[in-house]
Amino acid sequence: MSPLVNAAEIAEAARILRDGGLVAFPTETVYGLGADATSDRAVARVYEAKGRPTFNPLIVHVPDLAAAEKLGEFPAPARRLAEVFWPGPLTIVVPRRKDCPVSLLASAGLPSLALRVPAHPIAQGLLKAVDRPVVAPSANPSGRMSPTTAAHVRAGLGRKVDLILDGGACRVGVESTIVGFLGREPQLLRPGGIVREDIERVMGHRLATASAGDAPVAPGQLESHYAPHAALRLDAERRRSGEIYLGFGKRDGDRNLSPSGDLVEAAANLFRMLHELDETGTKSIAVAPIPHEGLGEAINDRLRRAAAPRSRE
Ligand code: AMP
Ligand code: MG
């Protein structure tokens, strides 16, 4: 596995992940904050631990291309890139498969999925042992530098992580290159560990670069995110006639984000419940007030964007 981490530690880490816990582990790029990608609740804990003010979509890690193809629809050029560069610091964004079990919160409600197969032997060992897709954004508090040693992770996240697998320093130290296969032509969504020229050589042509307005794409360009078809009315104390009500805490409704008023539970339920209510074909969803503390900031940010007037493609 690695001289620094033995098989028993990997097994313990896999058990923690399957139980919904958080495990920081080394990849060849930076240390990732890992959680079971199929669990809304585990994914919500990742956002909470990082203290992110927004739900940006997370990269889903799997041990190989076969596992990736169970989650996303790979067009032929995407498969070719995967065959050449995986395992390695390349993330491929593709449409999510209909039967994909990954939490909607992990992709921030988007119909796409960012997938990566890391090369690091500890990451590989862990992913095989978990036998589930794992989200793993960089293991640092939001707005701080990405960690390239276990000590960085400990200093930044401390007791918010259930276990840190210490594999020494990361080799690449910059994040993965992200290539998207969502539109007519592939796009470079984020430069990273694998250089553009190497990707272009394999593709046999130049790679378009995402520009602002080509949503949903790279960090900072995710404005036109998941938006429901229904209009949203926020901070609604009660339901008005014709509305469907999404409750929180004691304000109960057609669905309740968290009857006990727990913000981690509310984050875990947010996208799924919005989708479910939207699928009823309602014209208007009223949402109960959500406190602005902790994960409430990210929940309110997402609701505000979903409620904002938007252009439809
Ligand atoms: P990281 O913070 O390194 O985990 O990278 C996350 C980044 O991956 C996000 O900020 C997006 O740029 C990109 N990403 C993740 N999931 C998606 C997705 N479903 N569609 C488009 N981009 C994505
Ligand atoms: Mg990061």
Side-chain angles (χ1 to χ4, degrees):
M1 197 106 340
S2 150
L4 298 167
V5 172
N6 62 38
E9 282 179 273
I10 294 284
E12 167 71 358
R15 191 190 57 73
I16 291 171
L17 287 177
R18 278 197 296 264
D19 285 349
L22 302 184
V23 173
F25 62 94
T27 76
E28 66 274 33
T29 58
V30 301
Y31 273 74
L33 180 60
D36 178 354
T38 66
S39 161
D40 289 324
R41 182 139 191 130
V43 174
R45 285 195 60 200
V46 168
Y47 289 106
E48 185 194 42
K50 286 184 64 84
R52 275 187 168 164
T54 56
F55 294 124
N56 52 336
L58 306 177
I59 297 173
V60 174
H61 295 64
V62 288
D64 51 39
L65 175 58
E69 289 200 276
K70 289 197 181 122
L71 308 176
E73 303 274 5
F74 278 66
R79 193 173 303 122
R80 200 171 323 125
L81 280 195
E83 281 162 359
V84 173
F85 295 108
W86 281 355
L90 174 71
T91 294
I92 296 178
V93 179
V94 292
R96 170 195 271 268
R97 278 178 59 138
K98 282 222 162 49
D99 56 353
C100 175
V102 169
S103 156
L104 270 180
L105 182 61
S107 54
L110 296 171
S112 58
L113 217 53
L115 292 156
R116 174 159 116 79
V117 174
H120 195 291
I122 295 175
Q124 272 288 324
L126 181 60
L127 291 171
K128 285 192 183 116
V130 187
D131 198 23
R132 283 184 202 173
V134 169
V135 291
S138 54
N140 54 284
S142 180
R144 303 262 294 276
M145 276 196 0
S146 293
T148 54
T149 66
H152 293 163
V153 179
R154 211 165 287 121
L157 293 175
R159 287 185 304 120
K160 290 184 177 149
V161 196
D162 297 304
L163 181 70
I164 302 173
L165 293 175
D166 186 349
C170 299
R171 184 170 55 80
V172 179
V174 297
E175 270 120 348
S176 61
T177 302
I178 306 181
V179 180
F181 289 87
L182 298 177
R184 249 176 304 128
E185 52 173 22
Q187 284 191 320
L188 180 67
L189 301 182
R190 176 177 81 183
I194 290 182
V195 299
R196 166 197 284 277
E197 289 74 16
D198 289 344
I199 294 171
E200 291 178 340
R201 201 166 306 124
V202 171
M203 311 250 329
H205 59 80
R206 296 294 305 273
L207 197 53
T209 305
S211 56
D214 293 339
V217 283
Q221 297 182 296
L222 288 157
E223 283 304 315
S224 73
H225 235 123
Y226 165 67
H229 296 284
L232 285 193
R233 188 168 70 83
L234 307 184
D235 292 315
E237 303 281 348
R238 60 187 59 81
R239 172 218 301 242
R240 291 182 190 152
S241 83
E243 286 179 337
I244 280 188
Y245 193 73
L246 180 57
F248 176 80
K250 292 204 172 59
R251 290 196 182 86
D252 211 2
D254 298 277
R255 292 277 194 294
N256 192 324
L257 286 168
S258 171
S260 67
D262 173 5
L263 289 166
V264 177
E265 183 181 23
N269 286 331
L270 180 66
F271 288 103
R272 188 173 37 78
M273 288 188 176
L274 279 177
H275 271 278
E276 285 166 5
L277 294 182
D278 207 27
E279 274 163 16
T280 65
T282 184
K283 288 216 170 59
S284 179
I285 303 170
V287 187
I290 313 289
H292 277 271
E293 77 238 12
L295 268 183
E297 197 185 340
I299 295 172
N300 280 306
D301 168 79
R302 177 54 51 224
L303 286 170
R304 232 180 301 113
R305 292 184 205 220
R310 61 241 172 200
S311 56
R312 291 229 199 274
E313 63 273 33

